[in-house]
Amino acid sequence: MPTTMDPNVRIRAARWADKDTVAALIADALHDSPLAAWLTPEPGSRRQVLTGVAAIWVEHALFFGDIHLTDDLAAATVGFHRYRPIPPPANHHRRLAEAAGAHADRFTILDELLAQRQPTEPHYHLAILAVRPDARRAGRATALLAHHRSRLDRVDLPSWTTALPVGERLLARHGYSARAAVTLPDGPTLHPMRRNTRSAMPVDPARPAGSRWQDLLA
């Protein structure tokens, strides 16, 4: 059943049939961001590349995490249950090369930099918060984060994400605190953030937790 967080915003869990819609939504939300421009400098192919790479992680989240959507399909969260290490997506390197083409190396660079910041203790990984550009500033992101927060609070589970500067203030209002920033080579700065920890969330660079390109907050 949908969860009501606001009279105008209803939230439900995504189904397999929603995966293409969610991937396209993520691409729309990220398309004009500095991160998307860095990942795919060519505007003509950017939407196709972002949609293809997002599809890999949307499918993976349906197996190893969860996706929640507003019922108007205008906003979504994508997350992973990292209670223990999870495998990478099936055939990840091949699928990334097919989806990103000449830009695959940039997704890999992002992955490697963010992997160094991934907590090693059990946590929820809020990988993506995406809102379609024409649906912003209407409470959808706030409703999704409130829904996300209520679920984590019931199990007292830490959460980790990576934000673009535009999303950092919103996350802070929902209990996230910024960690040391990550600046991509000749690219934008990203802000790893954590929430709801009773103790430190250790980072062990010798134990990378898997691909992180999906830490895109829009």
Side-chain angles (χ1 to χ4, degrees):
M1 293 294 291
T3 300
T4 301
M5 303 303 301
D6 177 278
N8 300 311
V9 181
R10 293 174 64 82
I11 296 169
R12 65 170 176 85
R15 300 179 289 268
W16 186 258
D18 296 311
K19 61 186 180 66
D20 292 339
T21 298
V22 176
L25 165 62
I26 293 167
D28 285 344
L30 289 168
H31 185 271
D32 294 330
S33 70
L35 178 58
W38 184 85
L39 287 167
T40 311
E42 300 168 6
S45 62
R46 185 176 303 155
R47 192 177 305 277
Q48 178 180 349
V49 169
L50 292 175
T51 302
V53 179
I56 298 170
W57 291 102
V58 167
E59 292 180 11
H60 200 49
L62 288 168
F63 288 109
F64 292 99
D66 51 53
I67 298 172
H68 287 88
L69 283 163
T70 56
D71 67 352
D72 62 0
L73 307 180
T77 56
V78 178
F80 293 89
H81 304 151
R82 295 191 179 274
Y83 311 134
R84 60 184 62 84
I86 64 176
N91 303 311
H92 178 232
H93 292 297
R94 175 182 62 77
R95 293 185 68 190
L96 177 61
E98 291 175 353
H103 308 296
D105 286 349
R106 296 209 170 200
F107 287 90
T108 300
I109 290 169
L110 176 61
D111 169 51
E112 292 172 349
L113 288 174
L114 294 182
Q116 298 172 18
R117 309 297 178 87
Q118 180 82 29
T120 56
E121 73 175 58
H123 65 284
Y124 183 87
H125 178 190
L126 177 59
I128 299 169
L129 168 62
V131 182
R132 203 173 60 218
D134 64 353
R136 291 175 182 162
R137 304 184 186 279
R140 290 174 178 84
T142 295
L144 282 165
L145 283 174
H147 177 263
H148 163 72
R149 182 182 63 203
S150 68
R151 295 169 57 235
L152 292 182
D153 287 349
R154 285 197 295 270
V155 294
D156 193 30
L157 189 68
S159 181
W160 184 81
T161 191
T162 303
L164 294 172
V166 69
E168 190 174 3
R169 183 177 298 179
L170 176 62
L171 283 164
R173 291 203 299 268
H174 288 268
Y176 284 84
S177 58
R179 306 292 91 187
V182 175
T183 300
L184 297 171
D186 299 317
T189 296
L190 308 176
H191 298 271
M193 302 183 78
R194 72 183 196 188
R195 180 191 180 271
N196 196 31
T197 56
R198 293 180 180 271
S199 58
M201 297 177 73
V203 172
D204 184 354
R207 295 175 57 197
S211 293
R212 301 294 175 279
W213 88 270
Q214 72 275 24
D215 290 300
L216 310 179
L217 187 85

